[in-house]
Amino acid sequence: MDTFHRNRYLEAIGVDVWVRRPGGPLEALSVPERLETVSAQPAPLTPAALEAPEPVSADVEEPWQGLRTEILSCTRCSLHKTRTQGVVGVGPPRTDWMVIGEAPGAEEDRRGEPFVGRAGHLLDAMLRAIDLDRKTNVYIANVLKSRPPNNRDPKPEEVTAYLPYLMRQIALLQPRLMLAVGRIAAQNLLSTDMSLSRLRGKVHYFGELNTPLIVTYHPAYLLRTPADKRKAWEDLKFARSVFRQLTDRVGIDGHLS
Ligand code: SF4
């Protein structure tokens, strides 16, 4: 991605972008300038984002349809009593990147799609800054598929119930890298009570396939704590560099070189 477009996405995230004023010193774009820039003209999509999704064959699509049907009618845990609908995930049926959050919120529960609303917009901007787009090359899901009432933390029995669905999603997607956003997602995926700050900046491994997993902040947290957006950007750059190392090491046929 060229510098102009990356700066636009960083502005959308809220990470300070330093520019040289004509005849003056380096200055950060001010917050109002950033907001004007974003609202006046939507950031252009990257070439990757503009690519049409690849056609999906029936043998790839069918297992997803089956999984979707199961999740939408699932009663394995008590959350089915209070949800509007199950929220499966969004993205292409097979892709290299998987983003996992905690659970649907009120807006996701209503619309049936993960990460919509303000937090979803911020996540989209964060992903676009590293050339990812939910329509073409990243799959986005939550660990829980049904909304916990009042956005409370998941209970242990709900976490146990979700795991088979997530494992099937991973088996279908075959991602090369997983990005866990937020403490709850990271702690549940990694079966740990370590703080998010201690989990960041490392490559973890998830499940039987030992899928590399990197941890960063939840966009809803970043909306409340914009000072940490800079750290989130460091996490995204780290994830991108790990992914590049993985794809350099693994040939296009999937074998280690
Ligand atoms: S959270 Fe998961 S296990 Fe519980 S009802 Fe929803 S889909 Fe089923």
Side-chain angles (χ1 to χ4, degrees):
M1 187 188 298
D2 60 50
T3 304
F4 172 77
H5 286 139
R6 189 169 316 284
N7 286 350
R8 295 288 300 278
Y9 292 124
L10 291 176
E11 289 162 21
I13 297 170
V15 172
D16 284 338
V17 177
W18 291 81
V19 297
R20 188 176 296 284
R21 301 291 183 193
L26 280 174
E27 294 175 5
L29 289 176
S30 68
V31 171
E33 279 175 302
R34 278 191 230 127
L35 294 179
E36 274 174 24
T37 308
V38 172
S39 59
Q41 188 183 349
L45 295 177
T46 63
L50 288 171
E51 283 171 15
E54 289 196 4
V56 181
S57 64
D59 57 333
V60 172
E61 189 60 36
E62 266 173 33
W64 277 107
Q65 288 295 352
L67 180 59
R68 183 177 174 75
T69 303
E70 277 184 55
I71 290 174
L72 295 183
S73 57
C74 177
T75 56
R76 272 191 207 164
C77 79
S78 61
L79 293 180
H80 78 276
K81 295 177 189 162
T82 49
R83 74 182 178 202
T84 304
Q85 59 188 317
V87 180
V88 181
V90 63
R94 188 162 290 175
T95 190
D96 288 339
W97 286 78
M98 183 177 195
V99 172
I100 307 184
E102 173 188 341
E107 186 70 4
E108 286 84 5
D109 177 67
R110 194 174 64 76
R111 289 172 50 181
E113 182 171 334
F115 286 97
V116 293
R118 285 183 69 219
H121 287 310
L122 178 56
L123 179 67
D124 285 344
M126 291 164 66
L127 294 175
R128 281 181 186 160
I130 53 169
D131 299 332
L132 298 177
D133 183 276
R134 67 168 75 197
K135 288 194 177 67
T136 54
N137 58 4
V138 58
Y139 188 88
I140 303 173
N142 286 303
V143 290
L144 286 188
K145 311 306 183 198
S146 304
R147 181 193 180 213
N150 304 315
N151 295 335
R152 63 159 170 74
D153 289 353
K155 294 177 181 172
E157 64 270 23
E158 292 160 357
V159 171
T160 307
Y162 88 77
L163 198 58
Y165 291 133
L166 185 66
M167 298 308 286
R168 281 169 62 190
Q169 285 183 306
I170 292 168
L172 291 172
L173 279 173
Q174 302 175 13
R176 289 190 180 169
L177 189 68
M178 294 166 66
L179 188 65
V181 296
R183 176 182 64 84
I184 299 289
Q187 289 181 338
N188 280 300
L189 291 169
L190 297 172
S191 302
T192 179
D193 58 3
M194 281 172 70
S195 67
L196 188 130
S197 59
R198 290 185 63 199
L199 294 171
R200 291 178 52 241
K202 303 182 181 98
V203 182
H204 308 271
Y205 294 90
F206 179 79
E208 291 179 358
L209 297 175
N210 273 333
T211 308
L213 183 149
I214 288 170
V215 174
T216 190
Y217 296 97
H218 195 287
Y221 165 83
L222 294 173
L223 288 172
R224 296 192 302 271
T225 320
D228 279 344
K229 287 179 178 176
R230 171 66 63 181
K231 291 193 219 166
W233 175 230
E234 293 303 320
D235 295 336
L236 293 173
K237 286 192 292 182
F238 176 58
R240 185 178 54 185
S241 77
V242 169
F243 180 76
R244 283 180 180 159
Q245 287 171 36
L246 288 167
T247 48
D248 283 350
R249 265 195 325 128
V250 181
I252 51 175
D253 58 355
H255 292 110
L256 286 174
S257 57

